[in-house]
Amino acid sequence: MKYLFRNDYSYGAHPKVLSALAQSSMEGNVGYGDDPYCQRAADLIRDMCQCPRADVQFLIGGTQTNFTAIAAFLRPWEGVIAADSSHINGHEVGAVEATGHKILQIAAGNDGKIAPEQIAPILERHKDTHLVKPRLVEIADATESGMVYTKAELTALSEYCRANGLLLFVDGARLGAAMTSPANDLTMADLARLTDAFYIGGTKNGALMGEALVIVNEDLQPDFFRIKKQLGAVLAKGWLLGVQFEALFQDGLYFEMARHANAMAARLQAGLKAKGWKLWVESPTNQVFAVVPDSIKPRIDAVCAYEDWCPAEEPGHTVIRFVSCFQTGKEDVDGLLSALPEL
Amino acid sequence: MKYLFRNDYSYGAHPKVLSALAQSSMEGNVGYGDDPYCQRAADLIRDMCQCPRADVQFLIGGTQTNFTAIAAFLRPWEGVIAADSSHINGHEVGAVEATGHKILQIAAGNDGKIAPEQIAPILERHKDTHLVKPRLVEIADATESGMVYTKAELTALSEYCRANGLLLFVDGARLGAAMTSPANDLTMADLARLTDAFYIGGTKNGALMGEALVIVNEDLQPDFFRIKKQLGAVLAKGWLLGVQFEALFQDGLYFEMARHANAMAARLQAGLKAKGWKLWVESPTNQVFAVVPDSIKPRIDAVCAYEDWCPAEEPGHTVIRFVSCFQTGKEDVDGLLSALPEL
Amino acid sequence: MKYLFRNDYSYGAHPKVLSALAQSSMEGNVGYGDDPYCQRAADLIRDMCQCPRADVQFLIGGTQTNFTAIAAFLRPWEGVIAADSSHINGHEVGAVEATGHKILQIAAGNDGKIAPEQIAPILERHKDTHLVKPRLVEIADATESGMVYTKAELTALSEYCRANGLLLFVDGARLGAAMTSPANDLTMADLARLTDAFYIGGTKNGALMGEALVIVNEDLQPDFFRIKKQLGAVLAKGWLLGVQFEALFQDGLYFEMARHANAMAARLQAGLKAKGWKLWVESPTNQVFAVVPDSIKPRIDAVCAYEDWCPAEEPGHTVIRFVSCFQTGKEDVDGLLSALPEL
Amino acid sequence: MKYLFRNDYSYGAHPKVLSALAQSSMEGNVGYGDDPYCQRAADLIRDMCQCPRADVQFLIGGTQTNFTAIAAFLRPWEGVIAADSSHINGHEVGAVEATGHKILQIAAGNDGKIAPEQIAPILERHKDTHLVKPRLVEIADATESGMVYTKAELTALSEYCRANGLLLFVDGARLGAAMTSPANDLTMADLARLTDAFYIGGTKNGALMGEALVIVNEDLQPDFFRIKKQLGAVLAKGWLLGVQFEALFQDGLYFEMARHANAMAARLQAGLKAKGWKLWVESPTNQVFAVVPDSIKPRIDAVCAYEDWCPAEEPGHTVIRFVSCFQTGKEDVDGLLSALPEL
């Protein structure tokens, strides 16, 4: 049997989440999110983020949340500034463009982060009204390569955006991993204070599915339900999302799972280094990236599920990714490490 | 406590479905639908429909399935012919138009059905190349008012469409109710033979969520996954849909639940008539429509959850809807009937 | 040779317009509308409309102006209320839907006009957030069947729209015909005061091409150039539009031509009635509609160019349309009348 | 008075074109391009390109032609491969994305050209069905920086595209300049043979406006009129385009004007070099690019109209552009050269 480190959505839901779902199943609930579970889950999130006036909207998946939020927030001639390595710029089959908006790409480094000084030249160039108007900056925390924004970095971005008429939106598919990372110094309240909207990913941290979009900026809140419905993001049995997010946040389960996943990844990362493996980035979250010679890939294939990430700079090498999740055990990490070759 | 007849998506999933989901939760599965559950569920559906070359795609909800299929099948200048009372023309917040396509509406009667002779004048008028090109006929079975297409009717539509270069697509959000209705003489194989694509609704018949889109016409199959992903309709933990549809179809549970819901609705409909209530349509499926004086609505409100459907032709009257589902018990129907006033 | 009454865009431009174009040709002008001609033409229009803060934007054609304005003014979940007989709902190949917006149709009579009491039920029904949000009312003046809105009618519409959060937009492809009609009691200043935006059609009244969009509502003005460019509506040699509109408005040529066309149509309409022809509507502008037996159509075909408009209610009859323009001479009208049969 | 070298759309039309327009003005023509002028102009183009089955469509402007063609040719999940410096990727306000399609950018050099080896890695990466499907390669000839594709280069691109299921589309806004360039060895017939579609720009070479789109690939021809109308690209007085293109091509005027513009640019380029100016690229067409210290820009501003192109690599320097056209005289070039400083 092989060790599973392919991604953080290979298992269903944490048993507490599943059990809450089962319990709610035969109650008879109002549809479309107009139920007490969604209400309570939204309140928990608002409390946690210390933003009582935020609109909390539950959607089903990450790609969907990204394009629905962006389509809701922008006018047709407005564009999104994002890292070239961002999920919206790659693995979403052009969903943002399908809603009509251009992504203005920033060449990010391996860390996947962007900074004000990379945005400034875009703004300068796009004063020309023959180009799209930059209006929203999208970042991910954790980034697609597992890195996290520090409070200083997010504050700088936030201040720059506010000074320049830009909205700041955070893809939080792996927000749990970010928030519980040893490299993190942000609180959920900081996040709400510094951004216009962000989402809290359930899919990649112990829910069957579900993302909680927190729209902090009140100008962006009106009519959100209509566009959510239009874009297929309203679940008929909407309470299924509320039930899960209530289970995730009422006792800190969400952060507990994320912290565990991070710890397992850290153990794996340390073990790989000890075995002489070269890391692509030093990740403080639940994704571990290593640069391996292609010749040993069959040996890795034989013992675990993982993913090819991108070609490495060194010819004949590939960047590969291992991901841990709430379900990853210490014995899985240690078993994998002992099964992998020294390099 | 009130009787729940608001809709057929007020409960979670049938216990067998829930239990299958729970069992799969900790196995570790490949994402995005590339798992054995989806494969087996698709095979069950292909077998049942006797169309071994159909592409079976699992999506999350009905609105989403409608607009994703239509967007995948049409070119930008092509339009959809549908009943004015169709779900796509109303309660989907203009989702079809949001993907760029005009709906050419047919004034349908209370039954919500359309026929070739209503399509013909649209084709005639739209030979003018300054108008959109009609390309796809959308019907629902059961219709939004609970009626079903007979084999003769669907055959006539199908032949007309094929003779006129039109695709035929069936919104099957309540396909279970249609197929198990006493008024039905279609088989699943007939449906596959007579249409280009249709979907089998899980949400409204015992699944947590999920619709199985059956693309029969092979010209419409290529690249469907890409647009499904682009439009947010790919579930990361895709096996959750496969697990449910396997549970629904491996032992006939899907049809068993639908037949039960239909029987409960028939019992309710007969009871209402016996109490002197006036029906809006004589429904053979799980939706029951009655025309009631507005003055008695508070008394109905007091005993059950139901929905206002539309204003009735008679002034001071409203068409209201009761819906049964897999979870509706005989005692619920009889309890409701005894609690409702004579008219 | 046949008399030409097919439409009002069969001839190029009025000689004064052509001569102004020729004169400007070799001057060397700045592109994209940033030239003194556009500036002066916009000023002439603002003065004439007594709205010094209006944004006047020149576009190329009518379909383009309609969808560009609507796409600029609406959010993705918002819809347009319009007559079923409106140009945007028919002969624009679904252009409004192609920008993502649903048209909520009102069944208008032969006059093509709509009134607040027809809008009210749409607003009522669309309080349901599963339907698109009605946001803009589109009318045409003159309407597609040549009728004009009175000041009382437009005032009622305007007040209703403002009381209900609706924008009011006027398709003025034939605004010259409307404004100079004997049935008209509106001034250009009234139009500007009562609406959010409207356009003044050049194409159908003596220009080679060009429509002047007047955006009165200041909330709708920002960034309009960007969406105009995005949708292909910015002419590189933008001064060509300014030159034409300056020529049309500096000495009243626009209204002079429209008045002439109306007079020719009135002469034709009176003549047809005298010959026993049945009118479909009694048009006060430059379009004349008659109901004719299909059997005499070959005789009409033999003497003039005209258009079939729609099937008549009487079996075996068709509504046909004759259109006059700035170039139509009295001798054309009289010649046509003498060549047409008595009915 | 200042010398005008800002662009090639600062003057109206060549006198022969203007005169043909004036002559046609009062004839009375059928609208929407169904006239003999458009027919004859299309035939001239088909003959010149030796592709009798091509569909020749007249549109109004370049941005419009680009997005209309691309929207007509692609399915929603398909993307465009283009140079990062391409017009569609910049100065069209995201028009391609507004029709729903992502542009996959290639980092082109100063010459603005792309080659198969730059496309290959995109195809490799986009085998992943979570990314858009690359389907169309867009190039410009001349490129945005005035360079031309050789027959060898275009053949290589064409063969690569055909071997890989990619369409090849050429933005020919400056096709006249390309075809008459000393660096060119392509014929119009080569262009038709090697591509799926291309357009012949009128706006930038002596027409008031107008682009002739040549759709060579017959699979891409059906229904083009409908999408052209939908996207606002059908001119009501369509013959105005036919008249101009007939005037341009019946006696070789188009190429004569382009050759003249190229010669004027070559004279300017040689003169600048003789004055010690540094070129950004050695352009063989009607655009000349120089790298100048910012300190001398006021002196250039004082004597001519030109454009800033982009910041130069050298700090404190800017790339500027001079453009010649059919109207540029030798005396303008020599006058400008004598007015400019030595460097």
Side-chain angles (χ1 to χ4, degrees):
Chain A
M1 205 215 69
K2 300 211 288 182
Y3 297 103
L4 277 194
F5 285 84
R6 181 187 292 112
N7 57 47
D8 33 17
Y9 42 94
S10 290
Y11 296 95
H14 187 280
K16 287 186 188 170
V17 172
L18 271 186
S19 138
L21 282 169
Q23 268 189 308
S24 74
S25 188
M26 291 309 156
E27 292 171 359
N29 268 295
V30 183
Y32 306 118
D34 264 349
D35 60 88
Y37 293 102
C38 285
Q39 188 54 53
R40 288 196 302 266
D43 285 341
L44 282 170
I45 289 169
R46 276 186 285 260
D47 286 355
M48 172 175 68
C49 298
Q50 297 174 26
C51 53
R53 305 181 65 172
D55 183 17
V56 178
Q57 296 274 349
F58 299 103
L59 294 92
I60 303 160
T63 292
Q64 184 181 75
T65 305
N66 282 326
F67 74 72
T68 302
I70 289 170
F73 299 163
L74 297 191
R75 308 302 305 272
W77 56 89
E78 293 176 340
V80 176
I81 295 173
D84 52 2
S85 55
S86 63
H87 203 258
I88 60 166
N89 192 44
H91 286 77
E92 303 188 357
V93 195
V96 169
E97 289 87 354
T99 68
H101 302 286
K102 190 175 186 71
I103 298 176
L104 305 167
Q105 305 169 28
I106 287 176
N110 290 355
D111 63 7
K113 293 200 262 188
I114 60 179
E117 55 270 25
Q118 295 167 300
I119 299 173
I122 294 178
L123 294 200
E124 181 59 31
R125 176 165 138 81
H126 285 253
K127 283 179 187 163
D128 181 342
T129 58
H130 289 238
L131 284 82
V132 300
K133 184 174 182 173
R135 172 66 173 143
L136 182 146
V137 172
E138 192 262 8
I139 60 171
D141 195 29
T143 69
E144 288 72 11
S145 51
M147 309 305 278
V148 303
Y149 279 87
T150 64
K151 190 165 171 176
E153 288 167 340
L154 192 66
T155 301
L157 263 178
S158 177
E159 287 174 356
Y160 183 85
C161 287
R162 285 176 186 169
N164 288 282
L166 296 170
L167 302 170
L168 182 56
F169 171 62
V170 182
D171 171 339
R174 292 193 176 95
L175 191 61
M179 284 290 140
T180 58
S181 165
N184 176 64
D185 58 354
L186 284 164
T187 63
M188 290 300 287
D190 290 334
L191 193 64
R193 186 173 47 78
L194 295 170
T195 69
D196 293 282
F198 61 91
Y199 75 88
I200 305 170
T203 302
K204 290 176 175 163
N205 192 27
L208 287 183
M209 75 282 190
E211 320 294 309
L213 174 65
V214 183
I215 309 177
V216 183
N217 182 332
E218 294 181 49
D219 293 341
L220 305 177
Q221 296 175 358
D223 295 325
F224 192 85
F225 181 85
R226 293 209 203 220
I227 192 167
K228 188 167 82 161
K229 175 72 184 166
Q230 182 186 71
L231 296 176
V234 170
L235 199 62
K237 302 184 181 178
W239 72 86
L240 298 175
L241 301 173
V243 164
Q244 293 185 81
F245 276 93
E246 189 182 24
L248 292 174
F249 284 110
Q250 68 192 350
D251 297 318
L253 176 61
Y254 185 79
F255 298 113
E256 187 187 305
M257 287 191 287
R259 198 171 287 114
H260 171 79
N262 284 351
M264 291 302 103
R267 186 179 185 94
L268 176 61
Q269 186 165 265
L272 290 176
K273 282 165 78 174
K275 293 175 81 85
W277 286 46
K278 183 179 167 194
L279 301 179
W280 185 59
V281 291
E282 189 98 19
S283 165
T285 63
N286 70 322
Q287 302 185 83
V288 173
F289 299 86
V291 183
V292 299
D294 295 340
S295 55
I296 71 145
K297 286 189 57 198
R299 292 174 61 192
I300 310 175
D301 294 344
V303 296
C304 70
Y306 67 98
E307 275 200 355
D308 281 355
W309 193 246
C310 60
E313 284 185 20
E314 302 96 302
H317 286 65
T318 299
V319 178
I320 67 173
R321 184 185 73 160
F322 301 95
V323 191
S324 61
C325 73
F326 72 98
Q327 180 68 1
T328 308
K330 214 176 277 193
E331 62 287 2
D332 298 317
V333 174
D334 296 345
L336 172 60
L337 281 169
S338 66
L340 288 174
E342 306 263 337
L343 283 185
Chain B
M1 203 216 70
K2 299 210 289 182
Y3 296 103
L4 276 193
F5 286 83
R6 182 187 290 113
N7 57 46
D8 34 17
Y9 42 92
S10 290
Y11 296 96
H14 188 280
K16 287 187 188 170
V17 172
L18 272 185
S19 137
L21 281 170
Q23 269 189 308
S24 72
S25 188
M26 293 307 155
E27 291 171 0
N29 268 294
V30 182
Y32 306 119
D34 264 348
D35 61 87
Y37 292 102
C38 285
Q39 187 56 50
R40 287 197 303 265
D43 285 342
L44 282 170
I45 289 170
R46 276 186 285 259
D47 284 355
M48 172 176 69
C49 298
Q50 297 173 26
C51 54
R53 303 181 66 172
D55 183 18
V56 177
Q57 296 274 349
F58 299 102
L59 293 91
I60 302 159
T63 292
Q64 182 182 75
T65 305
N66 283 327
F67 75 71
T68 302
I70 289 169
F73 300 164
L74 297 189
R75 307 303 305 272
W77 55 89
E78 294 177 339
V80 176
I81 295 173
D84 52 1
S85 55
S86 62
H87 203 258
I88 59 166
N89 193 45
H91 286 79
E92 303 188 355
V93 196
V96 169
E97 290 87 355
T99 67
H101 302 286
K102 189 175 185 71
I103 298 177
L104 305 167
Q105 305 170 28
I106 287 176
N110 290 355
D111 63 7
K113 293 200 265 187
I114 60 178
E117 54 271 24
Q118 296 167 299
I119 299 172
I122 294 178
L123 294 199
E124 182 58 30
R125 177 165 138 81
H126 285 253
K127 284 177 185 163
D128 181 343
T129 56
H130 289 237
L131 285 81
V132 301
K133 182 175 184 173
R135 172 65 173 144
L136 182 146
V137 172
E138 192 264 7
I139 60 172
D141 195 29
T143 70
E144 286 73 11
S145 51
M147 308 305 278
V148 304
Y149 280 87
T150 65
K151 190 164 171 175
E153 289 168 340
L154 192 66
T155 302
L157 264 178
S158 176
E159 288 173 356
Y160 182 83
C161 287
R162 284 175 187 170
N164 289 281
L166 296 169
L167 301 171
L168 182 55
F169 171 64
V170 183
D171 172 340
R174 290 191 177 96
L175 191 61
M179 285 289 139
T180 59
S181 166
N184 177 63
D185 59 353
L186 285 164
T187 63
M188 291 299 288
D190 290 334
L191 193 66
R193 185 175 46 79
L194 294 170
T195 69
D196 293 283
F198 61 92
Y199 76 86
I200 305 170
T203 302
K204 290 174 176 164
N205 192 27
L208 287 184
M209 76 282 190
E211 321 293 309
L213 174 65
V214 183
I215 309 176
V216 183
N217 182 333
E218 294 181 49
D219 292 342
L220 305 177
Q221 296 174 359
D223 295 327
F224 192 86
F225 181 84
R226 292 208 203 219
I227 192 167
K228 188 167 81 162
K229 174 72 185 168
Q230 182 186 70
L231 296 175
V234 170
L235 199 62
K237 302 182 181 179
W239 72 86
L240 297 175
L241 301 173
V243 164
Q244 292 185 83
F245 275 93
E246 189 181 26
L248 291 174
F249 285 110
Q250 68 192 350
D251 297 317
L253 175 63
Y254 185 79
F255 297 113
E256 189 186 301
M257 288 191 288
R259 196 172 289 112
H260 170 80
N262 284 352
M264 292 303 101
R267 187 180 185 93
L268 176 61
Q269 186 165 263
L272 291 175
K273 283 165 78 173
K275 294 175 80 88
W277 286 44
K278 182 178 166 196
L279 301 179
W280 184 59
V281 291
E282 188 96 23
S283 164
T285 61
N286 70 321
Q287 301 185 84
V288 173
F289 299 86
V291 183
V292 299
D294 295 342
S295 56
I296 71 147
K297 285 189 59 196
R299 291 175 61 193
I300 310 175
D301 294 345
V303 296
C304 69
Y306 65 98
E307 274 200 356
D308 282 355
W309 193 246
C310 59
E313 285 185 19
E314 304 94 301
H317 287 66
T318 299
V319 179
I320 66 172
R321 185 184 73 160
F322 301 96
V323 191
S324 61
C325 71
F326 72 98
Q327 179 69 359
T328 309
K330 215 176 276 194
E331 63 288 0
D332 299 316
V333 174
D334 296 345
L336 173 61
L337 281 170
S338 67
L340 289 173
E342 306 263 337
L343 282 186
Chain C
M1 206 215 71
K2 300 210 290 181
Y3 297 104
L4 278 194
F5 286 83
R6 182 186 290 112
N7 57 47
D8 34 16
Y9 41 93
S10 290
Y11 296 96
H14 188 279
K16 286 187 189 170
V17 173
L18 271 186
S19 138
L21 282 170
Q23 269 189 309
S24 73
S25 190
M26 292 307 156
E27 292 171 358
N29 269 294
V30 182
Y32 306 119
D34 264 349
D35 60 87
Y37 293 100
C38 286
Q39 187 55 50
R40 288 196 301 265
D43 285 341
L44 282 170
I45 290 170
R46 276 185 285 259
D47 284 354
M48 171 176 68
C49 298
Q50 298 173 25
C51 55
R53 302 182 67 171
D55 183 16
V56 177
Q57 296 274 348
F58 300 103
L59 294 90
I60 302 159
T63 292
Q64 182 182 76
T65 306
N66 283 326
F67 74 71
T68 302
I70 290 170
F73 299 164
L74 298 189
R75 308 301 306 271
W77 55 90
E78 294 176 340
V80 176
I81 295 174
D84 53 0
S85 55
S86 62
H87 202 259
I88 61 166
N89 193 43
H91 286 78
E92 303 188 355
V93 196
V96 169
E97 290 87 354
T99 67
H101 302 286
K102 189 174 186 70
I103 297 176
L104 306 166
Q105 304 169 29
I106 287 176
N110 290 355
D111 64 6
K113 294 200 264 187
I114 60 178
E117 54 271 24
Q118 295 167 299
I119 299 173
I122 294 178
L123 294 199
E124 182 58 31
R125 177 166 138 80
H126 285 252
K127 283 178 186 163
D128 181 342
T129 57
H130 289 237
L131 285 82
V132 300
K133 182 174 184 173
R135 172 67 172 143
L136 181 146
V137 173
E138 191 264 8
I139 60 172
D141 195 29
T143 70
E144 287 73 10
S145 50
M147 308 306 277
V148 304
Y149 279 87
T150 64
K151 190 164 170 174
E153 288 168 341
L154 192 66
T155 302
L157 265 178
S158 176
E159 287 174 357
Y160 183 84
C161 287
R162 285 176 187 170
N164 288 282
L166 295 170
L167 301 171
L168 182 56
F169 170 64
V170 182
D171 172 340
R174 291 192 177 95
L175 191 60
M179 285 290 139
T180 59
S181 166
N184 177 64
D185 59 352
L186 284 165
T187 62
M188 292 297 290
D190 290 334
L191 193 65
R193 186 177 43 81
L194 295 170
T195 69
D196 293 283
F198 61 91
Y199 75 88
I200 304 171
T203 301
K204 289 173 176 164
N205 192 27
L208 288 183
M209 76 280 191
E211 320 294 308
L213 175 65
V214 183
I215 309 177
V216 184
N217 182 332
E218 294 180 49
D219 293 342
L220 305 177
Q221 296 175 357
D223 295 326
F224 192 87
F225 181 85
R226 293 208 203 220
I227 191 167
K228 188 167 79 161
K229 174 73 184 168
Q230 182 186 71
L231 296 176
V234 170
L235 199 62
K237 302 182 181 180
W239 72 85
L240 298 175
L241 301 172
V243 165
Q244 293 185 82
F245 276 93
E246 188 182 24
L248 291 174
F249 285 110
Q250 67 192 352
D251 298 317
L253 175 63
Y254 185 79
F255 297 113
E256 188 186 302
M257 288 190 287
R259 198 172 287 114
H260 170 78
N262 284 352
M264 292 303 102
R267 187 178 185 95
L268 176 62
Q269 186 165 264
L272 291 175
K273 283 166 77 173
K275 294 174 82 87
W277 286 44
K278 183 179 167 195
L279 300 179
W280 184 57
V281 292
E282 188 98 22
S283 164
T285 61
N286 70 321
Q287 301 185 82
V288 173
F289 298 85
V291 183
V292 299
D294 294 342
S295 56
I296 71 144
K297 286 189 58 197
R299 291 174 61 192
I300 309 176
D301 294 345
V303 297
C304 69
Y306 66 99
E307 274 200 356
D308 282 356
W309 193 246
C310 60
E313 285 185 18
E314 304 95 303
H317 287 64
T318 299
V319 178
I320 66 172
R321 184 184 72 159
F322 300 95
V323 191
S324 61
C325 72
F326 72 98
Q327 179 68 1
T328 309
K330 215 176 276 194
E331 64 287 1
D332 299 316
V333 173
D334 295 345
L336 173 60
L337 282 169
S338 67
L340 289 173
E342 304 264 335
L343 283 185
Chain D
M1 203 216 70
K2 300 210 289 183
Y3 297 103
L4 277 194
F5 286 84
R6 181 188 291 112
N7 58 46
D8 32 18
Y9 42 93
S10 289
Y11 295 96
H14 187 279
K16 288 186 188 170
V17 172
L18 272 186
S19 140
L21 282 169
Q23 268 188 309
S24 74
S25 189
M26 291 308 156
E27 292 171 358
N29 268 294
V30 183
Y32 306 119
D34 264 349
D35 60 88
Y37 293 102
C38 285
Q39 188 54 53
R40 286 198 301 265
D43 284 341
L44 282 171
I45 289 170
R46 276 186 285 260
D47 285 356
M48 172 175 67
C49 297
Q50 297 175 24
C51 55
R53 305 181 66 172
D55 183 16
V56 177
Q57 297 273 349
F58 299 103
L59 293 91
I60 302 160
T63 292
Q64 183 182 74
T65 306
N66 282 327
F67 75 71
T68 302
I70 289 169
F73 300 164
L74 297 190
R75 307 303 305 272
W77 56 90
E78 293 175 341
V80 176
I81 295 173
D84 52 1
S85 54
S86 63
H87 203 258
I88 60 167
N89 193 45
H91 286 77
E92 303 188 355
V93 195
V96 168
E97 290 86 355
T99 68
H101 302 286
K102 190 176 184 70
I103 298 177
L104 305 167
Q105 304 169 28
I106 286 176
N110 290 356
D111 63 7
K113 294 201 262 186
I114 59 179
E117 55 271 25
Q118 294 167 300
I119 299 173
I122 294 178
L123 294 199
E124 182 58 31
R125 176 165 139 80
H126 285 253
K127 283 179 186 162
D128 181 342
T129 58
H130 289 239
L131 285 82
V132 300
K133 183 175 182 173
R135 172 65 173 146
L136 182 146
V137 172
E138 192 263 7
I139 60 171
D141 195 29
T143 69
E144 288 72 12
S145 50
M147 307 306 276
V148 303
Y149 280 87
T150 64
K151 191 164 171 175
E153 287 168 342
L154 191 67
T155 301
L157 264 178
S158 177
E159 288 174 356
Y160 183 84
C161 287
R162 285 177 186 169
N164 288 283
L166 296 169
L167 301 170
L168 182 56
F169 171 63
V170 182
D171 172 340
R174 292 194 176 94
L175 191 60
M179 284 290 140
T180 58
S181 165
N184 177 63
D185 58 353
L186 285 165
T187 63
M188 291 299 288
D190 290 334
L191 194 65
R193 185 175 46 78
L194 294 171
T195 69
D196 292 282
F198 61 93
Y199 75 89
I200 305 171
T203 301
K204 290 176 175 161
N205 191 26
L208 286 183
M209 75 283 192
E211 321 293 310
L213 174 65
V214 183
I215 309 177
V216 184
N217 182 333
E218 294 181 48
D219 293 342
L220 305 177
Q221 296 175 357
D223 295 327
F224 192 85
F225 181 85
R226 293 209 203 221
I227 192 168
K228 189 167 80 162
K229 174 74 183 164
Q230 181 186 72
L231 295 176
V234 170
L235 198 62
K237 303 183 182 180
W239 72 85
L240 297 175
L241 301 172
V243 164
Q244 293 185 81
F245 275 93
E246 189 181 24
L248 292 174
F249 285 110
Q250 66 192 353
D251 297 317
L253 177 62
Y254 185 79
F255 297 113
E256 189 186 301
M257 287 191 288
R259 196 171 288 114
H260 171 78
N262 285 352
M264 292 303 101
R267 186 179 186 95
L268 176 61
Q269 186 165 264
L272 291 176
K273 282 166 79 173
K275 293 174 82 87
W277 286 45
K278 184 179 167 194
L279 301 179
W280 185 57
V281 290
E282 188 97 21
S283 164
T285 63
N286 70 321
Q287 300 184 84
V288 174
F289 298 85
V291 183
V292 299
D294 295 342
S295 55
I296 71 145
K297 286 189 59 199
R299 292 173 61 191
I300 309 176
D301 293 345
V303 296
C304 70
Y306 66 97
E307 275 200 356
D308 282 355
W309 193 246
C310 60
E313 285 185 19
E314 303 94 303
H317 287 64
T318 299
V319 178
I320 66 172
R321 183 184 73 160
F322 301 95
V323 191
S324 60
C325 72
F326 71 99
Q327 180 68 1
T328 308
K330 214 176 277 194
E331 62 287 2
D332 298 317
V333 174
D334 295 345
L336 173 61
L337 282 170
S338 67
L340 289 174
E342 306 263 337
L343 284 185

